[in-house]
Amino acid sequence: MEEEFIVIKGQLEATLKELQSLRDMQKDAIVAYKDITSFLDSLQKGIKVLTPRELLSRKLNLGLYKGPIQYMMWREMESILSPGLSPLTLDPKTAHPNLVLSKSRTSVWHGDIKQEMPDDPERFDSSVAVLGSKGFTSGKWYWEVEVAKKTKWTVGVVRESITRKGSCPLTPEQGFWLLRLRNQNDLKALDLPSCSMKLTKNLDKVGIYLDHEGGQVSFYNAKTMTHIYTFSSTFKEKLYPYFCPCLNDGGENKEPLCILHSQ
């Protein structure tokens, strides 16, 4: 990309030089070339824009430059993008007994009453979480989760063999690649060590991008496609989307987590 800009800049400079020479040689032909000054000004502005600079950092941020870049460029064309929004649903067999799923299985929230549920091996009994019904063993996948009006939540990707009974550290070493919000503005990537981030804008929708072969899980502000954080790892087993709406805290965190689908 940088070489192409250098070539274009060189062509513009050559054209500008020729036109400046022509203007100097034909000062008497002002009528014929009365518009040349404004044209030259435009060329000069264009060259300034293309003046050598660091177009892309040589130390590329994986999450910024190896992700769903098409969403950043053509947001309004999402129906024809690839990967498009993955049509995910929630797996009720994995849901903690306090969680309530919508009929469409695209929304989940914490209920006040613990439901009587079969203690399936897949079901969480400590973490108030649920997994997506589809796992990924290869490919690139992108989905979005609406988190608006919630004061806390945790979303991300986990491997199939995670501990679901009792508690364990929610770290990449244990098979968790997660982004967590607490106290409405305490945003943290649960890496090792964890990474705290300051929220500068409302985070109403979280975009999650998984590149299985590329060993990448990235998080974005789905409204602006601003990069939040990227985990890098080597994935050797099936991975599942992870959703934790957290306790409703007496109604303060009652809003559901919602998986967004293309319209």
Side-chain angles (χ1 to χ4, degrees), residues 62-118:
L62 184 64
L64 281 172
Y65 300 107
K66 191 184 176 186
I69 297 177
Q70 63 267 39
Y71 275 84
M72 305 172 192
M73 302 298 292
W74 306 300
R75 187 67 180 162
E76 68 278 9
M77 298 172 62
E78 65 183 44
S79 62
I80 61 172
L81 298 180
S82 177
L85 283 179
S86 300
L88 299 179
T89 57
L90 302 169
D91 183 358
K93 287 187 177 181
T94 66
H96 183 279
N98 272 99
L99 293 183
V100 181
L101 276 58
S102 65
K103 290 183 179 180
S104 63
R105 296 182 181 175
T106 58
S107 298
V108 58
W109 60 94
H110 184 271
D112 294 324
I113 301 175
K114 190 173 184 178
Q115 306 168 82
E116 291 293 331
M117 294 288 188

Side-chain angles (χ1 to χ4, degrees), residues 50-228:
L50 294 172
T51 297
R53 57 180 175 172
E54 191 176 25
L55 298 173
L56 290 176
S57 171
R58 296 186 182 278
K59 296 181 179 180
L60 296 181
N61 183 304
L62 184 64
L64 281 172
Y65 300 107
K66 191 184 176 186
I69 297 177
Q70 63 267 39
Y71 275 84
M72 305 172 192
M73 302 298 292
W74 306 300
R75 187 67 180 162
E76 68 278 9
M77 298 172 62
E78 65 183 44
S79 62
I80 61 172
L81 298 180
S82 177
L85 283 179
S86 300
L88 299 179
T89 57
L90 302 169
D91 183 358
K93 287 187 177 181
T94 66
H96 183 279
N98 272 99
L99 293 183
V100 181
L101 276 58
S102 65
K103 290 183 179 180
S104 63
R105 296 182 181 175
T106 58
S107 298
V108 58
W109 60 94
H110 184 271
D112 294 324
I113 301 175
K114 190 173 184 178
Q115 306 168 82
E116 291 293 331
M117 294 288 188
D119 189 22
D120 296 316
E122 303 96 330
R123 191 180 305 283
F124 291 98
D125 67 357
S126 180
S127 297
V128 188
V130 60
L131 300 184
S133 58
K134 182 177 182 179
F136 308 112
T137 56
S138 63
K140 299 176 182 179
W141 306 89
Y142 177 76
W143 62 95
E144 294 179 350
V145 185
E146 185 171 5
V147 297
K149 298 180 181 180
K150 292 189 66 62
T151 59
K152 56 184 179 178
W153 45 260
T154 306
V155 297
V157 174
V158 300
R159 65 187 180 210
E160 187 174 30
S161 62
I162 57 168
T163 299
R164 307 191 192 194
K165 307 300 182 183
S167 59
C168 72
L170 303 182
T171 62
E173 284 70 15
Q174 299 297 323
F176 297 83
W177 295 271
L178 305 176
L179 185 70
R180 185 186 78 180
L181 181 76
R182 295 293 184 270
N183 301 320
Q184 203 161 8
N185 55 17
D186 179 14
L187 188 64
K188 184 176 294 186
L190 301 185
D191 210 335
L192 197 64
S194 60
C195 180
S196 296
M197 289 155 286
K198 185 177 181 181
L199 275 177
T200 56
K201 294 184 179 180
N202 290 336
L203 184 58
D204 294 335
K205 300 176 184 178
V206 177
I208 303 168
Y209 176 75
L210 167 64
D211 181 350
H212 200 288
E213 288 86 354
Q216 173 188 352
V217 177
S218 289
F219 297 88
Y220 301 84
N221 180 328
K223 185 176 182 180
T224 62
M225 290 314 298
T226 303
H227 175 251
I228 298 174

